[in-house]
Amino acid sequence: MTTRALLWVFVAVLTGCAASGSTPANGDTTSSTSAKSKGGGSATMVDVSKYRTVFPSAPAAGATPMAAVAPTHHVRNQVEVLMDSVAQANKNIKYANGYRILAFTGNERKAAMDLRNSIIQRLPADKDYLTYKQPTYQLKVGDYMSRVEAQLALSKIKDLIPNALIVPETINIPKNF
């Protein structure tokens, strides 16, 4: 309730300040704003031309162009040094979170090896990982940084292995990164 009363007092003060503005001496009404007073309805003019920003006029079509401004604070060398140090630090990173295709899980080594050879023929650039944890063999394929890359590779071998899955795993970062 008190905030509403304070708001009305504030509006009344602002209206009173706007109504007590001065009229320009030269009678220029184009560069002024009008505010109606509460009681009489007469308009008072306030000169705001002194607050307007003045921009220089555009050069003529035949005028010579202005010279380009040269930068004064060069930081390019400092940025290059920092970028080189970041690149050197990133070269030492060998592992990242990524995805692999889980192609086979089972007890038969010969079946895992046959499937591995079939996958190598379809995806010769991708590395395969055959692990043995007694009594199970697991065959995983690829080092994919994104799930989209893994899905693309999976679509190439889906007819060989309809039950293959994409699994999140820590992968080896390829040398070309």
Side-chain angles (χ1 to χ4, degrees), residues 154-176:
L154 179 62
S155 67
K156 293 178 183 176
I157 59 172
K158 194 67 171 176
D159 60 330
L160 284 176
I161 322 154
N163 296 331
L165 300 171
I166 296 174
V167 291
E169 195 162 311
T170 301
I171 62 168
N172 301 321
I173 294 182
K175 300 291 184 205
N176 57 2

Side-chain angles (χ1 to χ4, degrees), residues 104 106-117 130-132 135-139:
F104 178 80
N107 296 338
E108 302 170 8
R109 183 174 191 275
K110 183 170 179 4
M113 292 303 288
D114 291 341
L115 185 60
R116 177 178 177 237
N117 291 334
L130 182 63
T131 57
Y132 177 70
T136 306
Y137 289 94
Q138 275 193 342
L139 177 63

Side-chain angles (χ1 to χ4, degrees), residues 110-130:
K110 183 170 179 4
M113 292 303 288
D114 291 341
L115 185 60
R116 177 178 177 237
N117 291 334
S118 301
I119 292 172
I120 289 173
Q121 289 176 358
R122 295 259 179 112
L123 302 171
D126 292 347
K127 188 172 179 183
D128 59 284
Y129 301 91
L130 182 63

Side-chain angles (χ1 to χ4, degrees), residues 138-158:
Q138 275 193 342
L139 177 63
K140 294 180 183 176
V141 179
D143 289 317
Y144 306 108
M145 295 297 281
S146 69
R147 192 169 185 90
V148 173
E149 293 175 34
Q151 189 66 40
L152 182 65
L154 179 62
S155 67
K156 293 178 183 176
I157 59 172
K158 194 67 171 176

Side-chain angles (χ1 to χ4, degrees), residues 11-81:
V11 169
V13 169
L14 282 180
T15 307
C17 290
S20 67
S22 62
T23 310
N26 62 359
D28 183 18
T29 59
T30 59
S31 63
S32 60
T33 59
S34 63
K36 294 216 175 198
S37 64
K38 242 181 168 182
S42 65
T44 59
M45 304 306 224
V46 178
D47 184 21
V48 292
S49 61
K50 62 183 177 183
Y51 299 112
R52 288 188 179 157
T53 306
V54 178
F55 294 101
S57 61
T64 59
M66 295 175 48
V69 178
T72 56
H73 300 291
H74 297 287
V75 294
R76 182 182 186 122
N77 294 335
Q78 295 170 349
V79 171
E80 285 179 1
V81 168

